[in-house]
Amino acid sequence: MEGIREKKTVRKPANKKRNGLRKRLYNWSKKWHKYLGLFLAGFIIYTGFSGILLNHPSEIAGWSVHKSWVPERYHPYNWNRSALIKAVYNPKNESSLLVAGKQGVWRSDDGGFTFRPDMAGAFPESRYLRKTNDLLIHNQTAFAGTFGGLFSKKLSETDWKEIPLGDKKEDVKAVLETPNGLIAISKNGAFRKKASGEFEQVILPRPDKNSMSLIDFTFALHSGWLWGLPGRIVFDIVGLATVFLSVSAIYIFIFRKKKKNKATKKRMAFFVKYHNSIGFWLCGFILITSITGAFMRPPLLAALANGKAPSILLPSYFEENPWYHTIRNACYDTETDRIIIDTSEGLWAGKSDLKSDFTPLDWSVNIFPMGCTVLRPEGDGHFLVGSFYGLYNYKEGDDYATDALTGEKVKPYAGIQRPGRFITTGYFQTTGGTRYVSTHGQGLLPIDRPQNMNAFMMPKTMAGDYRMPLWNYMFELHNARLLNDIFGKWTILVIPLAGIILTLISLTGIFEYCYRKYRFFRK
């Protein structure tokens, strides 16, 4: 009919409700990506730079930090913080001894009442490489296993000489005296002394490697060393990218609403463009870094305990050397002619001739995830086993270990526990029979009443000349322990929370970018 207009029906999109949800999610992501990113920007910048430096210990080994920049709790006191982990005596002169630890090798010629540095000749000048893991005196020759390799010297001489161990510097964990000659155990394998005096690499036979500790795998994934140098370089680039993303975020936030000249507009366009593109294309790597980082400190670290990463995830060079980057300590047991090795995969043992396979040991003794700091046969099937849980006397075959300091019988823990009261870092016994335990916090403690209370006083020059290796300084900064004066008891949560927040920043950034860039995200 005339005058009557046909009413048009407007179809409502079927997905309008879904579009509204995505819009709200976009607005939420935009807000949280911005404010969480700004909140964490400073942290991301310093962890990005420190992570890159940590990835290249050899390149920064010669650098150290003056003690005025290091919190006082890190300064050596009473041989603490692994300044003294082992002492060996001259068999022909009981008044002459060498002690070693993270401050290198020191010598006493009066039975332990005074000490002086003994690091002349080829011994590393680097504060990082001079850190000493083991000492042995054999035929009036001292051998020192350090972060920078293997060194030796005649006790009658002053200068150390470096003993080459292949093409690369090896982190030597132990030097063992066996019926088959001297054997140096490094982080990656073993080297045996030949008649010529040189050391040659030898194979530690074992069954095929079908897995890797999940803790080791997570740490290796976080830094990229799982794929060797190429992997570390890739994650260096990721570290630089996170620094750029944080710096650009700060710039965009400050200058977005300010009046801009031509140069400022150009910089703003540059930062916006590359903040978006770099963040999007590297988001997968950033997520790997953030998620693995969150699990590298308690309490989330406990979730990785006893976990295994299957061999299919491991690069081929783990097949060539299944011990690569796993060995932490070793000892030789004369009663059974076995070399016992502490690794990130547990304890292993094999004959000293190295002809038969090393096999896993099922010992009922608690070892902190960082490994054994003391592994010493005591005879009659007994072993001293020390770690950050404490010092234990374990008899092979028992289902418990005895605390060497309290006498308490301790059965295996169900999972990862907090470090013990006496975080054990070393142990030795004097020629007079006095036993000492070295602890991380309290320093050197006598287990027995010492014959003279003035023995083994830490030299003042060690504290006065103290410098922290740059690598260790970056490590303490990277895992936030250096911030303990700020956060106190909550410091332990800084890294897990930062990892979770960085994961949220990455996910919200990805969604925000895709919502703007790709139309199907808005449909």
Side-chain angles (χ1 to χ4, degrees):
M1 292 177 58
E2 265 188 35
I4 299 179
R5 295 182 181 177
E6 186 178 351
K7 187 176 181 180
K8 293 183 179 179
T9 57
V10 179
R11 288 180 177 269
K12 293 184 178 181
N15 59 355
K16 183 175 181 180
K17 187 175 182 180
R18 186 174 61 187
N19 287 347
L21 178 62
R22 288 186 177 181
K23 180 66 174 177
R24 288 194 299 272
L25 187 57
Y26 166 74
N27 291 332
W28 179 89
S29 295
K30 183 179 177 182
K31 181 189 299 184
W32 284 100
H33 181 74
K34 177 170 73 174
Y35 291 112
L36 288 177
L38 291 170
F39 171 74
L40 210 63
F43 177 86
I44 294 172
I45 289 170
Y46 92 69
T47 53
F49 279 126
S50 60
I52 293 169
L53 293 175
L54 289 172
N55 251 356
H56 303 279
S58 299
E59 284 70 26
I60 65 171
W63 296 78
S64 58
V65 180
H66 191 270
K67 67 178 183 179
S68 61
W69 292 91
V70 181
E72 192 172 342
R73 68 179 182 276
Y74 287 94
H75 297 189
Y77 167 78
N78 188 31
W79 303 101
N80 69 341
R81 305 188 77 86
S82 304
L84 193 166
I85 61 173
K86 190 165 186 178
V88 292
Y89 285 80
N90 184 342
K92 295 185 178 181
N93 181 1
E94 292 185 354
S95 296
S96 178
L97 68 146
L98 299 175
V99 300
K102 286 189 176 180
Q103 303 303 320
V105 178
W106 294 65
R107 179 173 182 151
S108 174
D109 292 315
D110 56 10
F113 290 95
T114 61
F115 291 89
R116 56 185 171 82
D118 191 354
M119 293 173 276
F123 205 88
E125 294 183 9
S126 158
R127 302 268 176 162
Y128 177 78
L129 297 178
R130 71 167 54 164
K131 292 189 290 185
T132 305
N133 300 311
D134 197 19
L135 278 177
L136 173 72
I137 293 179
H138 173 74
N139 292 339
Q140 288 297 290
T141 299
F143 293 86
T146 75
F147 274 48
L150 181 63
F151 298 84
S152 71
K153 74 161 191 169
K154 296 286 186 183
L155 292 180
S156 58
E157 299 176 353
T158 58
D159 288 356
W160 292 84
K161 298 177 181 178
E162 184 174 5
I163 300 175
L165 299 176
D167 299 330
K168 300 179 181 178
K169 286 189 180 297
E170 291 281 340
D171 181 357
V172 178
K173 298 299 185 182
V175 187
L176 311 177
E177 187 175 7
T178 78
N180 294 283
L182 294 183
I183 297 178
I185 305 292
S186 78
K187 184 187 289 188
N188 303 311
F191 299 82
R192 183 161 50 195
K193 186 181 181 184
K194 300 190 295 185
S196 63
E198 298 177 342
F199 279 71
E200 63 176 349
Q201 188 167 8
V202 290
I203 302 299
L204 297 177
R206 56 166 284 173
D208 291 340
K209 187 184 183 83
N210 54 22
S211 65
M212 182 181 187
S213 157
L214 193 54
I215 291 178
D216 273 5
F217 182 79
T218 301
F219 277 60
L221 195 59
H222 182 76
S223 64
W225 76 252
L226 186 66
W227 299 283
L229 181 60
R232 286 187 285 136
I233 291 175
V234 167
F235 277 80
D236 289 345
I237 295 171
V238 175
L240 285 174
T242 59
V243 171
F244 173 81
L245 292 172
S246 295
V247 171
S248 60
I250 294 171
Y251 185 90
I252 294 167
F253 177 75
I254 293 174
F255 291 98
R256 169 157 279 181
K257 293 185 179 181
K258 289 190 176 183
K259 290 183 179 180
K260 308 176 191 65
N261 56 32
K262 189 175 181 180
T264 307
K265 287 180 179 179
K266 191 173 182 180
R267 281 195 297 270
M268 177 65 76
F270 171 84
F271 278 128
V272 170
K273 177 182 178 181
Y274 288 103
H275 182 93
N276 290 333
S277 58
I278 290 175
F280 178 75
W281 291 110
L282 292 182
C283 63
F285 290 102
I286 295 173
L287 283 171
I288 289 174
T289 302
S290 63
I291 294 170
T292 55
F295 281 89
M296 290 175 70
R297 291 277 283 155
L300 297 184
L301 179 66
L304 307 180
N306 304 319
K308 301 289 183 183
S311 58
I312 194 172
L313 299 177
L314 307 181
S316 60
Y317 61 78
F318 279 97
E319 297 178 8
E320 301 168 9
N321 181 13
W323 302 104
Y324 178 73
H325 222 275
T326 65
I327 299 175
R328 306 180 296 198
N329 206 341
C331 71
Y332 174 68
D333 181 25
T334 57
E335 290 185 346
T336 59
D337 186 35
R338 291 181 303 170
I339 293 174
I340 299 174
I341 300 174
D342 170 47
T343 78
S344 56
E345 300 173 300
L347 294 166
W348 294 67
K351 293 295 184 180
S352 68
D353 60 9
L354 308 182
K355 292 181 179 178
S356 56
D357 276 357
F358 276 67
T359 55
L361 294 176
D362 186 18
W363 283 10
S364 298
V365 59
N366 295 304
I367 299 173
F368 196 72
M370 292 173 66
C372 286
T373 50
V374 177
L375 185 58
R376 174 185 170 116
E378 292 289 285
D380 195 27
H382 285 265
F383 293 84
L384 274 179
V385 180
S387 74
F388 278 19
Y389 285 141
L391 183 65
Y392 295 93
N393 188 317
Y394 175 70
K395 180 172 175 57
E396 195 165 12
D398 285 350
D399 62 352
Y400 65 90
T402 304
D403 190 309
L405 303 183
T406 66
E408 179 187 1
K409 293 181 179 179
V410 181
K411 293 204 170 187
Y413 300 140
I416 296 177
Q417 304 292 316
R418 294 181 66 87
R421 180 184 174 190
F422 298 102
I423 298 175
T424 301
T425 57
Y427 170 91
F428 68 91
Q429 188 171 343
T430 68
T431 53
T434 304
R435 299 172 299 162
Y436 286 87
V437 59
S438 182
T439 63
H440 181 73
Q442 302 92 331
L444 191 64
L445 303 175
I447 299 176
D448 312 300
R449 182 175 179 80
Q451 297 175 346
N452 192 313
M453 296 299 293
N454 293 321
F456 291 99
M457 302 294 289
M458 192 187 85
K460 292 181 180 179
T461 53
M462 181 176 286
D465 298 336
Y466 174 69
R467 298 179 69 93
M468 178 181 276
L470 179 61
W471 190 93
N472 292 92
Y473 192 84
M474 289 294 106
F475 182 74
E476 295 298 304
L477 187 64
H478 195 74
N479 62 34
R481 283 201 292 256
L482 213 58
L483 307 179
N484 189 69
D485 292 338
I486 299 173
F487 296 105
K489 66 180 182 179
W490 303 108
T491 304
I492 197 172
L493 298 177
V494 170
I495 295 300
L497 288 176
I500 293 170
I501 293 172
L502 181 54
T503 301
L504 286 174
I505 293 169
S506 300
L507 292 175
T508 53
I510 293 166
F511 183 82
E512 182 184 346
Y513 179 85
C514 291
Y515 187 91
R516 289 176 174 176
K517 184 79 174 177
Y518 302 108
R519 189 174 180 181
F520 69 86
F521 260 82
R522 302 191 294 271
K523 288 184 177 181

